[in-house]
Amino acid sequence: MSLIVQKFGGSSVADAERVFNVARIVTETYDKGNDVVVVVSAQGDTTDELIAKGQEINPNASKRERDMLVAAGEQISISLLAMAIEKLGYPVVSLLGWQAGFQTSSAYTSARIRRVQPNRIRKELDKKRIVIVAGFQGLSKYDDITTLGRGGSDTSAVAIAAAMHADLCQIYTDVEGVYTADPRKVKNARKLKDISYDEMLELATMGAQVLNNRSVEMAKKYNIELEVLSSLVKAPGTIVKEKSRMEKMLISGVAKDTEVARLSVIGIPDEPGLAFKLFSKLSAKNINVDIILQSIGHDNKKDISFTVSADRAEEAKNVLADYVENIGAKEIVCNTEVAKISIVGAGMESHAGVATKMFEALYDAQINIQMIATSEIKVSVLINKKDADRAVTAIHDKFFEE
Ligand code: ADP
Ligand code: ASP
Ligand code: MG
């Protein structure tokens, strides 16, 4: 007998038919003699709709109340799934995040899991019940409901698998696994048999939505193998693990992030310490900066451009308003019509010319590069948002079709 954690995303439980489809997958696993813990997200677009409802009432609502609101989505889906499983004649219980022992930080809307105390889950499993847990949510030390940030249910599932030493953690979604690019956008995208934690982490961080990056980080930390697979099509999925076998591939995927903004501080005096001051202002507010570009100075002035996630851009601009004035810079300009396109692959560590090949693909497609950043297993470029899909296809074709 094994302990299996299965996570189902929003589209997998979007309507009654899909809920019963999930109920069947879960009960088949249970019938094989396994203990089953199921993590579910809110149905379909429920989370987006709840956020919109909150915006309508008060766009400046506190993060605490926003979490209280959006956590409701998962409460609906766990109860519906439990009802479907009851109807199939199986013993089942649904639990909210706090009931399942999710203790988090109090950073509302992006809380971190401090620990999972799965006593209640264990008790229910001992009673031979299937346990359904609300993903995405937990409880702070002040006994307030928190959420883990968008896509956070993946992390809930991995956290349970880690805390309970599960034998298998399956992430069911609406595509058949992890592909070399978003299979909904790139028609020739290929399903990967397996991928390493490090590559998956870069892909997820760079915009491949299929797994939340924190879930991959946690899977790597606790060495939990993940299987990403479809809830709708019975087919082998993708295994995410320490070492992948795909050594022959130069890159494992192309990712796109359109939730990004470029800020440029123009006319900074060309003297020591001013870059330090700029970025320390941002880090004091926990605003993460990704690509950075500094122009060559002229007339004792220089420009510094950098990218931040689009939802922090306005805040970043405000945080830097004083700085711009105090140091006598000219202005700060924000551009949200940009996209970050990245290629990821362990193969590039040992092969020269990978970045060149990416740039060639963009040149062939006549797409201009605004910024470039590289790491050992990744190359990212910033381009115009309107070119994003075309760029992904051009780069994907260059690496996988030639
Ligand atoms: P869920 O609701 O199951 O959590 P998500 O919508 O969060 O599902 O993630 C699945 C989606 O991720 C897919 O529908 C697909 O469009 C998108 N996606 C982006 N990049 C990739 C990729 N490289 N491989 C697979 N899916 C990807
Ligand atoms: N329902 C949440 C969201 O839409 C969590 C998740 O889907 O993982 O972000
Ligand atoms: Mg998701």
Side-chain angles (χ1 to χ4, degrees), residues 7 9-11 172-175 177-179 181-184 208-210:
K7 180 259 169 179
S11 48
Y172 283 89
T173 182
D174 57 357
V175 290
V178 180
Y179 284 70
D182 186 340
R184 296 184 186 287
Q209 203 191 338
V210 62

Side-chain angles (χ1 to χ4, degrees), residues 7 9-10 41 150-154 171 173 209-212:
K7 180 259 169 179
S41 309
R150 298 307 304 270
S153 298
D154 298 334
I171 309 288
T173 182
Q209 203 191 338
V210 62
L211 280 177
N212 176 280

Side-chain angles (χ1 to χ4, degrees), residues 20-72:
F20 274 107
N21 172 57
V22 168
R24 277 187 290 273
I25 296 174
V26 170
T27 52
E28 269 171 31
T29 312
Y30 179 86
D31 279 339
K32 289 182 186 142
N34 300 302
D35 282 343
V36 193
V37 180
V38 183
V39 174
V40 262
S41 309
Q43 291 184 288
D45 296 328
T46 303
T47 308
D48 288 329
E49 287 160 14
L50 288 171
I51 291 171
K53 271 194 176 142
Q55 285 284 112
E56 203 183 326
I57 299 282
N58 178 4
N60 301 316
S62 65
K63 288 185 171 179
R64 181 196 184 276
E65 297 309 329
R66 285 196 245 164
D67 272 359
M68 191 60 112
L69 176 65
V70 294

Side-chain angles (χ1 to χ4, degrees), residues 223-369:
N223 202 17
I224 309 282
E225 257 186 42
L226 305 178
E227 184 181 3
V228 181
L229 70 176
S230 166
S231 63
L232 303 165
V233 181
K234 255 199 177 138
T238 302
I239 306 290
V240 186
K241 58 184 185 177
E242 186 57 49
K243 282 265 175 286
S244 92
R245 277 175 280 130
M246 311 209 75
E247 277 152 15
K248 274 190 261 95
M249 277 164 76
L250 206 48
I251 69 164
S252 55
V254 187
K256 170 186 85 168
D257 183 359
T258 49
E259 299 302 306
V260 58
R262 170 192 170 142
L263 289 169
S264 303
V265 186
I266 314 288
I268 300 173
D270 201 1
E271 55 192 66
L274 293 184
F276 161 66
K277 279 185 191 151
L278 192 167
F279 292 111
S280 49
K281 292 240 172 230
L282 297 172
S283 54
K285 293 280 178 197
N286 277 322
I287 298 174
N288 282 333
V289 170
D290 188 21
I291 310 178
I292 299 174
L293 185 76
Q294 176 175 301
S295 69
I296 293 177
H298 46 85
D299 303 331
N300 286 325
K301 299 274 187 192
K302 64 189 175 191
D303 307 333
I304 295 181
S305 298
F306 53 91
T307 60
V308 296
S309 75
D311 61 350
R312 307 294 300 271
E314 201 49 45
E315 190 186 350
K317 206 176 158 190
N318 293 337
V319 165
L320 292 176
D322 281 354
Y323 166 87
V324 169
E325 197 174 314
N326 292 345
I327 65 162
K330 185 162 167 262
E331 60 180 337
I332 176 163
V333 186
C334 176
N335 182 356
T336 52
E337 287 305 307
V338 292
K340 188 165 58 188
I341 311 295
S342 308
I343 55 172
V344 172
M348 66 178 80
E349 272 180 310
S350 48
H351 284 85
V354 176
T356 312
K357 202 164 170 173
M358 179 189 198
F359 303 154
E360 187 185 7
L362 292 168
Y363 168 63
D364 291 346
Q366 286 296 296
I367 293 169
N368 190 41
I369 302 172

Side-chain angles (χ1 to χ4, degrees), residues 125-258:
L125 291 175
D126 288 344
K127 292 181 196 156
K128 290 289 150 217
R129 288 179 172 151
I130 294 167
V131 181
I132 317 287
V133 177
F136 180 53
Q137 53 173 259
L139 199 70
S140 74
K141 65 177 177 194
Y142 307 110
D143 284 349
D144 279 330
I145 302 292
T146 55
T147 68
L148 308 177
R150 298 307 304 270
S153 298
D154 298 334
T155 315
S156 308
V158 177
I160 292 183
M164 303 191 71
H165 308 287
D167 300 288
L168 183 60
C169 183
Q170 297 178 309
I171 309 288
Y172 283 89
T173 182
D174 57 357
V175 290
E176 285 179 34
V178 180
Y179 284 70
T180 48
D182 186 340
R184 296 184 186 287
K185 294 275 165 61
V186 178
K187 69 174 192 311
N188 297 328
R190 298 182 199 170
K191 183 163 66 175
L192 299 170
K193 263 202 179 61
D194 52 29
I195 182 168
S196 69
Y197 292 126
D198 288 335
E199 289 172 290
M200 189 64 236
L201 184 57
E202 289 284 15
L203 275 182
T205 307
M206 293 301 131
Q209 203 191 338
V210 62
L211 280 177
N212 176 280
N213 59 350
R214 279 197 195 166
S215 73
V216 183
E217 215 169 61
M218 190 176 288
K220 178 179 160 76
K221 185 167 169 195
Y222 295 100
N223 202 17
I224 309 282
E225 257 186 42
L226 305 178
E227 184 181 3
V228 181
L229 70 176
S230 166
S231 63
L232 303 165
V233 181
K234 255 199 177 138
T238 302
I239 306 290
V240 186
K241 58 184 185 177
E242 186 57 49
K243 282 265 175 286
S244 92
R245 277 175 280 130
M246 311 209 75
E247 277 152 15
K248 274 190 261 95
M249 277 164 76
L250 206 48
I251 69 164
S252 55
V254 187
K256 170 186 85 168
D257 183 359
T258 49

